Amino acid sequence: DAGVIQSPRHEVTEMGQEVTLRCKPISGHNSLFWYRQTMMRGLELLIYFNNNVPIDDSGMPEDRFSAKMPNASFSTLKIQPSEPRDSAVYFCASRPGTGVEQYFGPGTRLTVT
Amino acid sequence: QKEVEQNSGPLSVPEGAIASLNCTYSDRVSQSFFWYRQYSGKSPELIMSIYSNGDKEDGRFTAQLNKASQYVSLLIRDSQPSDSATYLCAVNKGNTNAGKSTFGDGTTLTVKP
């Protein structure tokens, strides 16, 4: 199994630009999670989907952030416009319907200058 | 007060010793408890899960749960340098968001040869 796939692995962009992060969950998993990790705030849940439907987006920082899951094999997290304080590692994780273990992707390291 | 609290460390133990990592949580309705290991620059990986009071052993790892005290711990016996990592405690609440985990900030463990 390929595991959770995220792209890009690294992204450097200028303040004000749009950033799109992508995630392909493990085939057959029906829950998908987007996290952000920084030294200051630790690992924070931004949003999670169950069967492609957003269940809890209370962790999304503000309207500049949006996430979609158009089908079971693809999700995006978009930041528009980006700000330096958005610099972090963004992880995507997926979970099978009958399990509790979350499988994390390798993460996208975002730097906004 | 944070929902999940851990000593940030760093915790340093000599090779072969027992490493003890602690975690407290604030919400009494919490039902599921997890320990993730995160190597520097990598993504979190689940190493233990525990759901009922008492001890759960898996190889060199033992998770301990005390719901009355709202306390969960991880013991690593015969610590090895390869155990050096950050250990994240995660808690799931027993409600409709059962699949949502809240993470502590992690404890950094260093095992010295």
Side-chain angles (χ1 to χ4, degrees):
Chain A
D1 200 331
V4 176
I5 299 172
Q6 290 187 247
S7 65
R9 295 293 305 277
H10 301 273
E11 176 81 27
V12 180
T13 191
E14 292 184 347
M15 181 175 62
Q17 297 298 306
E18 177 179 297
V19 175
T20 299
L21 310 181
R22 297 173 176 80
C23 176
K24 177 179 170 57
I26 294 172
S27 177
H29 285 194
N30 69 344
S31 294
L32 183 141
F33 305 80
W34 281 103
Y35 292 90
R36 176 174 68 178
Q37 187 174 41
T38 62
M39 289 293 292
M40 290 294 295
R41 300 177 66 90
L43 189 65
E44 303 173 279
L45 177 66
L46 300 177
I47 185 171
Y48 100 89
F49 295 85
N50 196 43
N51 293 323
N52 312 337
V53 176
I55 301 300
D56 186 340
D57 65 354
S58 60
M60 295 286 265
E62 49 199 90
D63 292 344
R64 297 185 299 107
F65 285 69
S66 62
K68 295 182 179 179
M69 191 164 187
N71 57 61
S73 59
F74 184 67
S75 177
T76 60
L77 178 68
K78 185 176 294 187
I79 308 172
Q80 166 63 19
S82 58
E83 297 182 2
R85 60 191 168 124
D86 301 331
S87 297
V89 179
Y90 290 80
F91 288 107
C92 175
S94 69
R95 185 174 67 94
T98 56
V100 294
E101 178 173 350
Q102 295 183 28
Y103 295 81
F104 282 77
T108 295
R109 182 172 296 276
L110 173 65
T111 302
V112 183
T113 61
Chain B
Q1 180 187 8
K2 289 187 175 181
E3 288 188 53
V4 180
E5 299 217 41
Q6 298 180 249
N7 292 329
S8 61
L11 174 65
S12 181
V13 300
E15 184 175 356
I18 295 175
S20 178
L21 306 165
N22 304 315
C23 173
T24 58
Y25 59 95
S26 61
D27 195 331
R28 287 192 171 273
V29 302
S30 300
Q31 297 291 327
S32 310
F33 307 87
F34 310 94
W35 284 99
Y36 286 79
R37 178 178 61 200
Q38 186 175 23
Y39 292 115
S40 180
K42 302 295 185 182
S43 55
E45 173 194 15
L46 182 70
I47 55 172
M48 289 289 286
S49 57
I50 188 166
Y51 308 101
S52 54
N53 282 328
D55 295 358
K56 178 180 178 181
E57 187 175 317
D58 184 0
R60 296 185 297 110
F61 298 95
T62 298
Q64 299 175 316
L65 175 61
N66 184 325
K67 289 187 177 180
S69 299
Q70 295 175 237
Y71 174 90
V72 58
S73 65
L74 179 70
L75 301 178
I76 306 174
R77 291 182 301 280
D78 188 25
S79 296
Q80 301 296 309
S82 59
D83 295 326
S84 298
T86 296
Y87 289 81
L88 302 169
C89 173
V91 173
N92 280 29
K93 296 180 182 180
N95 55 24
T96 55
N97 282 351
K100 170 182 171 180
S101 293
T102 301
F103 284 79
D105 290 340
T107 298
T108 299
L109 171 67
T110 300
V111 181
K112 296 185 175 180

